[in-house]
Amino acid sequence: MDSACPAGTVSPLQYRGGALHLERVALEAVAQRFGTPCYVYSRAAIEAAYRAYDAAFGDRLHRVCYAVKANSNLAVLNVLAHLGAGFDVVSGGELARVLRAGSKADRVVFSGVGKSAAELRQALAAGIACFNVESAAELERLNQVAGEMGLRAPVALRVNPDVDAGTHPYISTGLKENKFGIPAGDALALYRRAASLPGLRVQGIACHIGSQLTDLAPLREAAGRIAALREALLAESIAIDQVDLGGGLGIAYRDETIPGAAEYAAAISAPFAGSGVEISIEPGRSIVGPAGVLLTRVEYLKPGAQRNFAIVDAAMNDLLRPALYDAHHAVLPLREAGGEAKVWELVGPVCESGDFLAHARTLALAEGDLLALRDAGAYGFAMSSNYNTRPRPAEVMVDGDRIHLIRARETLDDLWRGEEMLAE
Ligand SMILES: *Cc1c(COP(=O)(O)O)cnc(C)c1O
């Protein structure tokens, strides 16, 4: 079968004897043991994706900071912490998770447009590596909080390189009209301000121009603009020894061609050739996306005059991406099927017309069949909810032929914990 992994890594999914395996584990066995819906991740695939990025930079001073929001399960974070990964967090909750999973705080960078004073305090007390500051107001607040604590906060400004949307219309966070980052035109003035504040230590420039990028051109362009800004700052004696070039390399949900890690690293490093600057990246999707599947069972078949519906036991509350972005996830039967194929709409039990998982897939289906939605390791469980009072699925990690439950399926008691009825 085709691979959805970054070049240089191997898809962990394979049919053997007609049964779909993740690493050496038959996914049917996982479904039997833990029920469906169920997320299953491959440790080997996560590690291979991380190592491909790490190796791609060779001798150059670099750090690969996994973007925690893609999948924040403690086991996933712990596996990456063991490899020496850094972490990119966007909330105090994510910071707490990373520390809980065994990482040191000095490997953590903190991104996001809305960090509260409490979160700034928490991260300063922990001693994180860098705050990626996204506005003038945040800069002032961070200076004040750090001052109150008698500390100097390490900062980078997240600059919006305004990469041309005309040529690259899919870029969603690197443009002027976006809520993220500091407009490139304001950057110099804000760096001067930051350098003058006693509670801050200016050390980096950060940018992140978008997600699911399949072309290196916009990343190369953004890196070039960041390098130019670094030169301009040097001319004002503001020394920048770290640049963070964001996450965003895509994965092959369909048959997209994705640049390899080496090509990617070469493209973003090129403008910094000959400088000793440390390059950080913050990949999320490309580390965990292809490593995970969502298992689901066909509850009912409902063939119709217009469309054939296969109602499965997973829904938009378990995997939101199709409903939210019209995202595509390949659907694989856990057992290679022989019967007559038809075109099916895969829908869930949630009471919303938008509750679909896949459109127009040609599959031979019968009631009770087990299916895997591919590339569900990123922004899958992490975006799940309890809508319709549906307990969230179990999460499992396979490692060779071993199966580890890394998050138990939620119980109904979990769901109403903290709720109180009126006394009368
Ligand atoms: C979401 C995000 C990432 C990760 O993006 P991916 O597309 O998952 O690689 C990295 N950095 C920042 C600031 C983000 O918001």
Side-chain angles (χ1 to χ4, degrees):
M1 60 172 297
D2 62 346
S3 161
C5 291
T9 65
V10 177
S11 172
L13 276 170
Q14 261 166 16
Y15 283 102
R16 282 195 217 141
L20 189 64
H21 284 64
L22 188 65
E23 299 196 32
R24 298 209 302 275
V25 171
L27 288 169
E28 278 175 337
V30 176
Q32 245 154 39
R33 194 156 138 200
F34 299 106
T36 52
C38 178
Y39 279 98
V40 195
Y41 313 121
S42 155
R43 176 179 187 167
I46 293 170
E47 291 184 336
Y50 172 83
R51 289 196 167 113
Y53 276 126
D54 190 37
F57 287 93
D59 294 340
R60 163 144 224 137
L61 201 56
H62 68 278
R63 175 157 289 180
V64 180
C65 294
Y66 167 65
V68 173
K69 72 180 194 277
N71 184 327
S72 58
N73 184 286
L74 290 177
V76 171
L77 302 180
N78 179 250
V79 159
L80 288 164
H82 276 307
L83 297 182
F87 296 93
D88 172 52
V89 303
V90 294
S91 71
E94 286 190 352
L95 171 58
R97 271 187 179 276
V98 165
L99 299 178
R100 182 79 201 268
S103 173
K104 295 214 183 78
D106 63 7
R107 293 192 188 156
V108 177
V109 300
F110 196 165
S111 303
V113 293
K115 305 175 192 82
S116 70
E119 287 175 317
L120 296 177
R121 234 173 268 123
Q122 175 195 354
L124 279 163
I128 67 164
C130 195
F131 292 85
N132 289 350
V133 171
E134 301 220 15
S135 64
E138 183 190 336
L139 198 69
E140 299 298 329
R141 183 186 287 184
L142 180 57
N143 174 58
Q144 189 183 336
V145 172
E148 285 162 10
M149 296 174 75
L151 297 171
R152 291 188 87 175
V155 298
L157 298 190
R158 174 166 170 188
V159 174
N160 200 328
D162 200 28
V163 172
D164 184 1
T167 29
H168 312 293
Y170 44 79
I171 291 168
S172 54
T173 65
L175 290 171
K176 275 194 193 116
E177 58 265 36
N178 210 277
K179 79 172 176 184
F180 298 103
I182 288 155
D186 300 348
L188 269 178
L190 210 55
Y191 268 102
R192 285 183 203 119
R193 173 76 185 149
S196 76
L197 292 173
L200 306 180
R201 180 162 37 83
V202 176
Q203 61 185 37
I205 309 174
C207 77
H208 169 72
I209 60 171
S211 203
Q212 186 53 19
L213 300 174
T214 56
D215 181 0
L216 291 177
L219 288 163
R220 198 178 280 122
E221 196 174 323
R225 293 187 186 192
I226 299 302
L229 173 59
R230 180 169 175 270
E231 292 302 319
L233 290 169
L234 269 180
E236 301 202 13
S237 302
I238 299 176
I240 298 295
D241 48 24
Q242 292 169 4
V243 296
D244 177 342
L245 296 168
L249 198 60
I251 63 175
Y253 287 109
R254 297 172 191 261
D255 53 3
E256 300 91 331
T257 308
I258 308 295
E263 259 182 289
Y264 162 78
I268 63 171
S269 306
F272 303 97
S275 82
V277 69
E278 180 183 66
I279 296 182
S280 299
I281 55 169
E282 306 166 343
R285 184 189 312 275
S286 50
I287 297 229
V288 289
V293 293
L294 174 61
L295 304 184
T296 185
R297 186 182 291 273
V298 177
E299 289 282 5
Y300 297 105
L301 294 180
K302 201 171 163 185
Q306 301 277 332
R307 285 169 156 193
N308 300 316
F309 291 100
I311 300 159
V312 299
D313 65 1
M316 64 187 288
N317 74 293
D318 304 305
L319 179 63
L320 183 61
R321 299 187 68 258
L324 186 63
Y325 318 119
D326 211 11
H328 179 96
H329 288 268
V331 178
L332 303 172
L334 294 204
R335 190 151 283 280
E336 278 177 312
E340 186 207 345
K342 278 193 189 147
V343 178
W344 296 97
E345 297 292 301
L346 249 66
V347 301
V350 162
C351 298
E352 296 282 346
S353 297
D355 179 26
F356 75 95
L357 295 174
H359 279 313
R361 302 303 168 84
T362 305
L363 294 161
L365 291 184
E367 208 175 288
D369 279 1
L370 290 163
L371 304 171
L373 285 130
R374 211 185 62 187
D375 304 311
Y379 307 107
F381 187 93
M383 295 177 96
S384 65
S385 77
N386 295 119
Y387 189 39
N388 281 206
T389 303
R390 290 170 52 85
R392 283 182 293 173
E395 290 178 287
V396 168
M397 189 179 291
V398 302
D399 181 7
D401 58 5
R402 292 191 299 170
I403 302 175
H404 303 276
L405 180 65
I406 60 170
R407 193 180 204 273
R409 181 178 307 286
E410 281 178 334
T411 65
L412 291 174
D413 279 329
D414 291 333
L415 262 58
W416 48 63
R417 190 169 31 147
E419 294 182 30
E420 293 288 346
M421 289 182 271
L422 303 193
E424 57 188 314

